[in-house]
Amino acid sequence: MTRLIELSDVRKLYDGGAKHPALNGVSLGVERGEFLAVMGPSGSGKSTLLNLVAGLDRPTSGRVLVNGRDLGRAGEAELARYRRSGVGFVFQFFNLLGSLSVLENVMVAAQLAGSGTAAARQRARELLAQLGITDQAARYPARLSGGQQQRVAIARALVNRPLMLLADEPTGALDSRSGEQVMELLVELNSSGQTVLLVTHDAKLAARYAGRVVSLVDGRVADDVVLQASTASPAEVVRVRVEEVAG
Amino acid sequence: MNAVITKVLGDLRRRRLQAAVIAFVIFLASGTTTLGLTLLQTSSHPWERAFEAQRGAHLTVLFDRHKVDPEQLARTPGLIGASQVGGPWPWVETSYELGAHMAIGGGGFKFPLITVGRESPQADVELLRLVAGRWVRGPGEIVITRSFADLNHIRLGDRMRSLGTLERRALVVVGEASDVDEADSEFGTQFAWVTESQLPLLAPDWGYKMAYRFPYAPSEQELRAKLARLQMALPAGAVLASMNYLLLQKVFNGGNQIALTFFLAFGIFALLACAATVANLVIGIVIANYREIGVMKAVGFTPLQVVGTLVVQMQLPTLAGCLFGVPAGVALSVPLVDRETASLALPPEPPFAPVMALATLLAVMTVVLLATVVPGLRAGRLSAVGAISMATAPSGGRRSWLGSMLRRLPLPRPLALGAGDAFARPLRAGLTALAVLVGVATLVFATGLPASARTLVDIAFAHRSTDVILQRANAYPDQKVMATLAAQPETALVVGLAGAQVTVPGVADPITVNAYRGDSARLGIPVIRGRWFSGRGEVVATRAVLEDTHLEVGDSIEGLISGQPVLLLLVGEVFSANNTAALLRPTALAREMEMDLSTLAEAVPEAQPSYYFVTIKPGSDANAYIRRIQATEPDFLDATENRDQTVSGIGFLNSIMLVLAAVLALIAAAGVFNTLLLNTRERVRDTAVLKALGMTPAQVLVMVAAGAVVLGVAGGLLGIPAGVGVHRAMMQGFANLLGNDLPESVFRVFSAPGLLLLALAGVAVALVGSLLPARWAAMTRVAEVLHSE
Ligand SMILES: Nc1ncnc2c1ncn2[C@@H]1O[C@H](COP(=O)(O)OP(=O)(O)OP(=O)(O)O)[C@@H](O)[C@H]1O
Ligand SMILES: [Mg+2]
């Protein structure tokens, strides 16, 4: 069985920045059920990497294979269909649709994927219950706290039972308490088999919750560490890295 | 101030597309408005100018030469207080044969003209302007009007033949004159001139014509009193007919008035649609600017400077649009104005009316100013933080009830979402729908008018059951005509028509009488109230007659025909059917009474028909029939097939209106384009999220288009009743001008499928407007949009 995600020698050049590729020869494999954190300084290419995996953008060269499918060769409509069922995306700023209620925000993703209204409502309610925001179902996003909004966004991302959950700085706009709750939610989902790709520049969070940490610097993979358990401390992450460099 | 200018220039550079939309809409709007206003200004004057320049007669009277002599006539000016007088001139109404057919003998085109004997175009009253050639000098010469010459392609040196006598005198056209009396040659009676001594030779039944001018412009009432005094002083039946200048003015301006009413309606429509679109555009830009307004204030712009920036930013493209639109409107009005002045042979008026251009400019700029200042002031008053937070506040903060409703429709998601988004800003949606509404209403109206005209023409040329209309020359007796018709095996029905005039107490102008011989009920002249007459003494009349005489159906009245009293029982109201002229020229011609020939014979025993409405047996060949009839007496019988007629005046009006309707549709499309552009730009983040969730580009396209469809349907559905209503109101006004009640069929020209099609045109217009914004939205780059947070 092939890997879930397989990046080989991926380069990404944006129109403007020809001299500095956002990704410069990244090769990376992700197995099903992994909890991978992508770390790195601002501008190192983390979001770019996630966008490529999500099928929101295409690599300039190299291949992005998901479940054996080459995303770089897929057409617009095919990518859209892939995003519906293959990917659940969680953004830093939630990006809920302001004109729809909480329940509708979750439902809309299921409806786009082709499920009927009744089935979509059923599934959305289940997820809201699972994430503990059932009582917010009829409200509109503008009235919700950041943490609540991010839960809605996660519910929306999960509604189609995606192959993987992609989260780009999901805690970036939250206070530390809400941030921890969101992370715990992700771990819980991961432990029930959900593949999770998390972008963060917070080493503490990565070390506490992720099973594997990939560090990007200037568009290259500088480091790729598998942690023993989710109880590893930040110091441990640093230690492993030092050992590797020394070895 | 420098800061304002820097900001304005920067904004315009960045918002090129919106500036272009403003300029384009303003271009269309100012063009249409200028066209309407220019026509309004120039069209109301030509007749009055010509009337003064040619010393037109306030009152023209035709006399029977057997009842009154020139000495008696010479005393009439003093009798009625006329200060200047023309005549007595001999006159006669007779047919002429003309055209190329003359050369090969017979069967040529015939036309009736009122010919007047005059030694000179100069006179104290009714000065004629010679526009080509020279005046008549002796036998065998004739001067015709320019419009008659134009219409029939007659040139100087061409020959015509009078059919008033058996010798058929040949006449050469030596000159063309213009005359205020003539109105437009397509309709109404035309005049021609020969020398005084030649006139009695043209036809035996000639009379005298007098033209009076008064030191002041008399009112309708005064003219009636004068005519009554004339009739009192002269032997009974001496006055055959009269024409007053107010009527002529109405005749000439009437046609214009109809056209003008239509143009004005269009102008108002166009202005409305433009105002809605422009207001929408400007408000949209202001709203989109809230964030920047906040930043501007934080940097130190005063509220006034903020508003000033917006105003200047809007007025620049507005000016640019007007710069092209106003001259375009003027250019378009040139042929229209020319058409009207040419029939009076007036020097073409320079159509450029600076006042109108300025008025248009001011009107357009004011609309734009108001649309900028109202939301601008609100933005200007906002605190810097308030404006920024208002801009960043999710659009959900101002949800509309209608939008939520539409979003919950049981439709595929993209459709429902798009439909709801269209109404996310109710004011914007309303204004856009209004623009579509106006476009559709105009379309309804513009297609309804020719259909109504068509119906009206059908009715007016009525005698739907008639296949052939025959006219005999005065010299050819009725018995022979009837004998010829009876000899044809195909002849099924012949109804003869004799003309006369009846004078009714309290009404100064004589009323036209159509007296029918035969089964006239079968002609199919529309009866609006009551019934068709059914024997001697019963009459039906047009509404104008009922109003003038204050009579109701069922009343009876004693009228004077050729000085003889006749008792008339009014049994119905009809639509004036005999005079095509009445169609476009609201005149006394619509003061019409229909009766049986036996009723007329009470007063004029020798009265005989001169027109014949012939129905032939089904399946017969009308053309062969006509050729055979014509062959029996080519000079004195004029047979024409009673087929569909085209009324070029209406056709012309119609094509202008279709152009205007197209312009309004374009404005509506621009309005939709603008609204969807603003909507999709405001929602670019939502669109990006939806795409991230897996919405395909095609679905985004459908979503945006769905919004357009909802706006189009709303505007289309409301535009239909609006258009039908305006159409009805216009036709009613038209009927009032005509002095006729119109049969209901003239109003009922719309079919349900036809209207549905027009409503769909509204949707189509909206879809056209949505094409680009939808494409742009479909191409939204998700990563980029979401990256720039
Ligand atoms: N749409 C774009 N057009 C041009 N350049 C881009 C675009 N998106 C990203 N970049 C550039 O590519 C590089 C990598 O950007 P990316 O967003 O992947 O970084 P990041 O690691 O997510 O940073 P951050 O932690 O700040 O979010 C940066 O130099 C950025 O300026
Ligand atoms: Mg990033």
Side-chain angles (χ1 to χ4, degrees), chain B residues 620-662:
Chain B
S620 319
D621 178 357
N623 276 319
Y625 185 84
I626 288 171
R627 272 196 302 277
R628 224 170 321 122
I629 300 277
Q630 196 85 67
T632 61
E633 202 54 69
D635 297 335
F636 298 113
L637 284 182
D638 190 9
T640 48
E641 195 178 348
N642 185 33
R643 54 167 188 268
D644 287 350
Q645 310 270 348
T646 49
V647 179
S648 67
I650 292 257
F652 179 73
L653 201 63
N654 186 29
S655 48
I656 292 270
M657 285 207 297
L658 282 179
V659 169
L660 287 177

Side-chain angles (χ1 to χ4, degrees), chain A residues 209-221:
Chain A
Y209 299 105
R212 177 180 166 198
V213 178
V214 170
S215 298
L216 288 182
V217 176
D218 290 340
R220 293 173 194 275
V221 177

Side-chain angles (χ1 to χ4, degrees), chain A residues 161-179:
Chain A
R161 298 186 173 85
L163 291 171
M164 61 194 130
L165 190 63
L166 305 181
D168 194 348
E169 310 265 15
T171 59
L174 301 177
D175 61 85
S176 57
R177 174 87 194 89
S178 312

Side-chain angles (χ1 to χ4, degrees), chain A residues 41-48 51 92 168-169 199 201, chain B residues 787:
Chain A
S42 184
S44 56
K46 306 183 293 292
S47 296
T48 303
N51 287 342
Q92 178 176 358
D168 194 348
E169 310 265 15
V199 164
H201 53 241
Chain B
H787 172 88

Side-chain angles (χ1 to χ4, degrees), chain B residues 124-135:
Chain B
D124 291 340
V125 182
E126 270 194 15
L127 188 93
L128 297 169
R129 276 167 50 100
L130 261 181
V131 288
R134 60 167 175 81
W135 195 247

Side-chain angles (χ1 to χ4, degrees), chain A residues 197-247:
Chain A
L197 255 75
L198 166 77
V199 164
T200 179
H201 53 241
D202 186 335
K204 256 192 279 179
L205 280 182
R208 240 174 66 209
Y209 299 105
R212 177 180 166 198
V213 178
V214 170
S215 298
L216 288 182
V217 176
D218 290 340
R220 293 173 194 275
V221 177
D223 202 1
D224 190 344
V225 186
V226 178
L227 302 175
Q228 305 309 308
S230 57
T231 50
S233 68
E236 223 170 331
V237 175
V238 175
R239 182 184 55 74
V240 171
R241 192 182 295 168
V242 170
E243 276 173 8
E244 266 186 10
V245 171

Side-chain angles (χ1 to χ4, degrees), chain B residues 502-568:
Chain B
V502 61
T503 316
V504 167
V507 184
D509 298 315
I511 296 164
T512 303
V513 167
N514 294 312
Y516 297 90
R517 185 182 65 195
D519 193 355
S520 56
R522 280 172 62 187
L523 290 178
I525 294 168
V527 177
I528 288 165
R529 248 189 299 282
R531 59 173 175 82
W532 189 249
F533 62 81
S534 68
R536 181 194 284 218
E538 288 187 355
V539 297
V540 292
T542 57
R543 196 181 84 196
V545 171
L546 300 188
E547 281 177 359
D548 284 0
T549 56
H550 306 291
L551 287 178
E552 290 295 325
V553 170
D555 292 349
S556 53
I557 190 175
E558 193 177 73
L560 279 179
I561 302 178
S562 291
Q564 300 296 312
V566 182
L567 192 67
L568 306 168

